[in-house]
Amino acid sequence: MQIRSRAPLRIGLAGGGTDLLSYSDVYGGAVFNTAIEMYAYCTIIPTDDGRIKMIAYDNNNTMDCVSVPHFNIVDENLILHKGVYNRIVKDFNGGKPLSFIMSTSNDAPIGSGLGTSSTMVVAILECFDKWLNLGLTDYEKAYLAYDIERNDLKLSGGKQDQYSAVFGGFNLMEFKTDGNTIVNQLRIEQHIVEELECSLLLYYGGVSRSSAKIIDEQIKNTKSKNEKTMEAMHQLKQNAYVMKDEVLIGNMAGFAELLRSTWENKKKTSSIISNRDLENTINYAMEHGAEAVKVSGAGGGGFLMFYYNPINRQKLIDALKLLEGMVYPVNFSKMGVKSWVIK
C-alpha cells in the first residue's frame, strides 16, 4: 500500500506580512492569496521492519534509522519531516513509533517564496492523516501544520501558507487578534480567472533565500512600532481587502495598481526585502512589457510575479528568457491538499 498526497503552493497577492503574530495579535491581519498549480508531494509506504526511511528529493536529503518515538532535531536535515512525525506520534499514536518509507518532492525550489516549506508540512501531515485515518478537518490540519512549524520547530513565518495549502483556491484570510484565523473562500467568475492567468507570469532567477532574516527584521520593526513600517503594514492589510473587491469585479487596472502599491509598501517593512539584482530584473521586465510586479514570499529573492497586458505576453516571455532564470505560467488551483491510496 502507498499513501500519496499533494498540496498546492501559493502566491500572496496582497497583505503579506500582516499574518505575522507580531502584527496580527495587536491589529488583526488580512491576506489575499491564491493557490497555484505547483505542488509539494509526499508518499508514505508503511513497513513492518521497524525502521524509518525518509527521502527528500528536492534537496537530496535522506535518512535511514531504527524507528523511534521522537526525533531530537539537532540539525536542519529533514527538519520538516521529523517535526510532523514527532507530533503525529505524540498526539495521535500514543507515543508508539511508526515504521515506513517516506519520499517527498516539490515543484518549486526551496526558498523560492511560494510557501514551499509550509506546503510540504501540509502534504506530509495529509499523508499521515490518510494513513492513520485521523479525520482532521481543514481548519485542524492548517492550524496543526502552523503549530508544528512555528512552535515545535521555531521556524519564522506567518500563517497564510498553511491555510492556503489546505483550502486551495482564492481566499481572503483574516487573522484575528484572539489568534483565530478565518478563511473566506471566494467564488470568482471563470472569465476573470482566465484573464488573470493570461496576464501573469512567474520568473525565477535562480536565487533562493532564507526568509527568516527578513521576517525577523519585520517583527522587530513591528514590535518597536517603527513609524514607517507600521504605516506600510496598515496599508498592506487595507490593500488585501481592496484587491479582493477589484478581482471579484474583474477590474484589472485596479488590480495592477494595488500590486504596485503592495510592492512599494512591502519594501518599507524591511531594509533587505529588495536588492540591486531584484531591482535590475524588475526594471528590465518593465522595459519589455511588464506593468506591475509582486515579489513572492518575504522578498530578497525567489519568484517574481509580473502583471502585463496579455497582448505583450510573448514579448515579455522572450525578453525574460534572455536572462539566466526560468519563466513559468500562472495557473490557479481550485483544490487544496488531497490524498489517496494506491494498493
Side-chain angles (χ1 to χ4, degrees):
M1 178 176 71
Q2 298 184 40
I3 303 96
R4 212 177 318 279
S5 70
R6 75 174 191 181
L9 304 180
R10 65 96 186 101
I11 298 172
L13 297 170
T18 70
D19 57 329
L20 295 171
L21 294 188
S22 58
Y23 182 87
S24 64
D25 279 358
V26 179
Y27 305 100
V31 170
F32 179 46
N33 68 14
T34 179
I36 59 174
E37 290 188 348
M38 297 174 71
Y39 299 92
Y41 305 86
C42 180
T43 296
I44 290 178
I45 303 174
T47 61
D48 56 7
D49 61 359
R51 299 191 68 82
I52 295 174
K53 184 175 182 180
M54 298 181 181
I55 310 164
Y57 288 103
D58 50 359
N59 59 9
N60 296 315
N61 281 339
T62 63
M63 184 193 71
D64 190 346
C65 68
V66 174
S67 296
V68 293
H70 180 86
F71 285 109
N72 291 317
I73 301 173
V74 296
D75 56 39
E76 295 185 358
N77 185 42
L78 298 166
I79 183 173
L80 304 177
H81 306 59
K82 294 173 182 176
V84 177
Y85 173 82
N86 285 349
R87 194 64 177 272
I88 290 293
V89 168
K90 174 178 174 290
D91 289 0
F92 303 104
N93 207 50
K96 299 177 183 178
L98 296 164
S99 179
F100 58 89
I101 299 170
M102 177 191 295
S103 60
T104 60
S105 61
N106 211 308
D107 282 339
I110 296 171
S112 59
L114 299 181
T116 51
S117 295
S118 299
T119 305
M120 182 58 72
V121 171
V122 169
I124 296 170
L125 180 60
E126 174 71 16
C127 253
F128 278 115
D129 182 39
K130 189 73 169 182
W131 176 22
L132 303 176
N133 195 28
L134 304 181
L136 297 173
T137 68
D138 285 349
Y139 274 101
E140 287 171 339
K141 288 175 191 174
Y143 181 78
L144 181 55
Y146 165 81
D147 198 35
I148 290 169
E149 196 172 0
R150 303 291 174 247
N151 296 320
D152 294 358
L153 300 177
K154 309 298 182 186
L155 299 175
S156 298
K159 285 185 174 181
Q160 67 160 309
D161 297 356
Q162 297 87 355
Y163 285 85
S164 180
V166 170
F167 284 86
F170 285 84
N171 299 289
L172 177 73
M173 299 180 183
E174 297 177 290
F175 307 97
K176 304 298 186 178
T177 56
D178 61 4
N180 287 325
T181 299
I182 304 298
V183 179
N184 302 285
Q185 295 184 281
L186 305 177
R187 296 181 61 183
I188 299 174
E189 293 185 50
Q190 187 60 31
H191 78 275
I192 297 174
V193 172
E194 290 166 353
E195 179 67 12
L196 282 170
E197 289 181 337
C198 288
S199 304
L200 297 171
L201 283 174
L202 286 170
Y203 173 78
Y204 181 63
V207 179
S208 63
R209 82 286 181 272
S210 171
S211 62
K213 289 183 179 180
I214 298 171
I215 291 170
D216 290 345
E217 183 175 329
Q218 289 176 321
I219 292 171
K220 178 183 175 182
N221 290 342
T222 302
K223 286 183 175 179
S224 67
K225 291 184 166 49
N226 177 280
E227 183 177 354
K228 185 169 114 174
T229 296
M230 297 313 301
E231 288 179 359
M233 295 289 278
H234 295 331
Q235 188 60 57
L236 288 170
K237 179 172 70 172
Q238 181 63 21
N239 283 358
Y241 287 102
V242 179
M243 185 181 285
K244 177 263 297 183
D245 292 341
E246 300 288 27
V247 169
L248 283 172
I249 65 175
N251 183 0
M252 294 298 108
F255 173 76
E257 181 56 38
L258 285 162
L259 280 182
R260 288 188 282 268
S261 171
T262 292
W263 174 230
E264 292 305 316
N265 280 286
K266 187 77 171 177
K267 288 188 285 187
K268 296 175 183 177
T269 65
S270 168
S271 62
I272 53 177
I273 280 181
S274 190
N275 55 56
R276 183 178 297 176
D277 288 340
L278 272 181
E279 294 293 343
N280 287 341
T281 301
I282 291 169
N283 291 336
Y284 174 83
M286 295 296 184
E287 293 169 359
H288 291 86
E291 298 178 15
V293 65
K294 172 69 171 67
V295 178
S296 292
F303 274 91
L304 302 175
M305 185 189 75
F306 292 111
Y307 173 87
Y308 53 88
N309 186 317
I311 294 172
N312 294 321
R313 179 181 179 85
Q314 196 59 50
K315 173 185 175 182
L316 180 58
I317 290 173
D318 291 343
L320 290 173
K321 284 183 176 179
L322 295 177
L323 302 179
E324 295 181 354
M326 297 181 65
V327 181
Y328 297 80
V330 172
N331 297 110
F332 303 117
S333 175
K334 294 181 180 179
M335 307 299 292
V337 65
K338 295 294 176 186
S339 58
W340 58 95
V341 176
I342 304 297
K343 296 182 179 180

